[in-house]
Amino acid sequence: MEYFVQQLVNGLTLGSIYGLIAIGYTMVYGIIGMINFAHGDIFMIGSFVALIVFLVLTAVFYSLPVVLFLLIMMIVAMLTTSLYNWTIEKVAYRPLRGSFRLAPLITAIGMSIVLSNFVQVTQGPRNKPIPPMISKVYDIFGISISQKQIVIVLVTIGLLAIFWYLVNRTALGRAQRACEQDRKMAALLGIDVDRTISITFIMGASLAAVAGTLYLMYYGVVVFSDGFVPGVKAFTAAVLGGIGSIPGAVLGGLMIGFIESMWSAYFSIDYKDVAAFSILAIVLIFLPSGILGRPEVEKV
């Protein structure tokens, strides 16, 4: 029983990271109906920015508390990735918004390759490790829970509460929901659609940056190709939970995390990805819109 609960804790930690990344996919798709396949690489850039900030802080202000280290790393990573995503949306996606549906998708894949190779050239192809930031582990009834896992879960819960409030209780959230329902009508009613979409990209990038910082803190290493696999799994989580639904993205991320953790514990770790994608296929056969997704109704 202790082993089972231990895997639940590990799955919750991993699923929290996937859920943060998945929200970026689902927010962009909900408003403009586009899959931003460069989002995983934005997550990877957030990890690298956090790494650079960590190295600078340890070299100059090595006596700062760990909480301040993490906070500064997250803030700088959020600002940097927001600038990247805002630029990508403005330069690569906005001109193609009225084009046929495959054009933005192809462009997004191209931007993913550009960002990945850019980081490979500027930072090198090798793994970039950091010393452990938080190493304390608590033993509770035979279950090992590290401070890193507690930090990841608490940060995820806090950010989800903030973003839920922004989307459901603010003027920005009302504008986003209006653009999601009908962009043309929203524009006629005075909503700046371009600005709303840009802010949505910035919000998604900020969450990806936080996920990248937590990923670096948890695993202690990052490499230029780290945007691909977590990005694909986060996209899978968004589809599994119901793409376009923020709670669905979080639920899907947690499910992917639990599936990977349990499969690795009780079966072969080599096939954990196969298990996750198989569950996705099974769910979509019976629930094509995902667990919490709304079926699209085409008006005629």
Side-chain angles (χ1 to χ4, degrees):
M1 187 63 187
E2 289 84 358
Y3 186 67
F4 176 78
V5 176
Q6 181 69 66
Q7 298 310 315
L8 284 179
V9 172
N10 296 338
L12 176 63
T13 306
L14 187 59
S16 297
I17 295 176
Y18 289 153
L20 286 176
I21 308 172
I23 292 175
Y25 282 108
T26 204
M27 288 181 71
V28 170
Y29 182 85
I31 291 183
I32 62 176
M34 172 195 166
I35 303 298
N36 179 18
F37 277 116
H39 190 65
D41 296 279
I42 293 294
F43 155 81
M44 177 267 297
I45 288 175
S47 295
F48 267 97
V49 172
L51 169 69
I52 295 170
V53 173
F54 175 80
L55 295 176
V56 172
L57 289 177
T58 51
V60 181
F61 305 104
Y62 56 88
S63 61
L64 282 178
V66 174
V67 175
L68 282 180
F69 267 92
L70 272 176
L71 186 60
I72 295 172
M73 288 164 63
M74 286 183 186
I75 291 173
V76 176
M78 290 169 71
L79 292 174
T80 307
T81 55
S82 295
L83 180 60
Y84 269 96
N85 229 20
W86 177 82
T87 305
I88 291 171
E89 191 277 329
K90 190 177 180 70
V91 173
Y93 298 157
R94 188 177 299 180
L96 298 174
R97 198 178 295 161
S99 182
F100 64 101
R101 293 180 68 90
L102 280 179
L105 177 64
I106 296 169
T107 304
I109 295 173
M111 288 307 306
S112 173
I113 296 171
V114 168
L115 292 176
S116 178
N117 283 272
F118 169 72
V119 174
Q120 182 184 11
V121 170
T122 56
Q123 301 298 324
R126 297 181 179 178
N127 292 346
K128 305 291 183 182
I130 64 169
M133 296 181 63
I134 304 174
S135 56
K136 190 170 183 179
V137 178
Y138 302 101
D139 193 316
I140 304 174
F141 302 110
I143 302 164
S144 298
I145 302 176
S146 66
Q147 281 187 342
K148 293 187 290 187
Q149 292 174 318
I150 296 173
V151 169
I152 289 172
V153 173
L154 289 180
V155 169
T156 301
I157 292 173
L159 285 176
L160 291 179
I162 292 171
F163 271 72
W164 180 89
Y165 179 81
L166 285 175
V167 172
N168 292 281
R169 293 289 187 268
T170 65
L172 172 62
R174 286 192 293 273
Q176 289 175 322
R177 284 180 279 130
C179 291
E180 177 183 359
Q181 292 179 7
D182 192 326
R183 291 205 302 271
K184 291 183 179 179
M185 183 58 68
L188 290 174
L189 294 174
I191 294 174
D192 190 335
V193 174
D194 289 338
R195 175 176 170 271
T196 302
I197 292 174
S198 294
I199 292 175
T200 302
F201 271 83
I202 289 172
M203 291 169 67
S206 299
L207 286 174
V210 173
T213 305
L214 298 176
Y215 181 89
L216 176 68
M217 177 198 70
Y218 190 60
Y219 290 104
V221 65
V222 65
V223 68
F224 76 96
S225 58
D226 274 349
F228 178 72
V229 174
V232 170
K233 289 181 180 177
F235 170 65
T236 303
V239 175
L240 180 61
I243 194 156
S245 167
I246 292 179
V250 180
L251 177 61
L254 293 175
M255 288 186 64
I256 295 294
F258 287 138
I259 291 168
E260 282 194 19
S261 179
M262 291 300 175
W263 190 273
S264 300
Y266 294 102
F267 302 98
S268 173
I269 192 174
D270 298 327
Y271 295 99
K272 63 178 183 178
D273 296 340
V274 175
F277 289 112
S278 298
I279 295 296
L280 170 69
I282 293 170
V283 169
L284 291 183
I285 288 172
F286 297 99
L287 294 171
S289 57
I291 298 173
L292 297 182
R294 296 186 298 255
E296 292 187 4
V297 178
E298 186 175 350
K299 296 179 181 179
V300 294

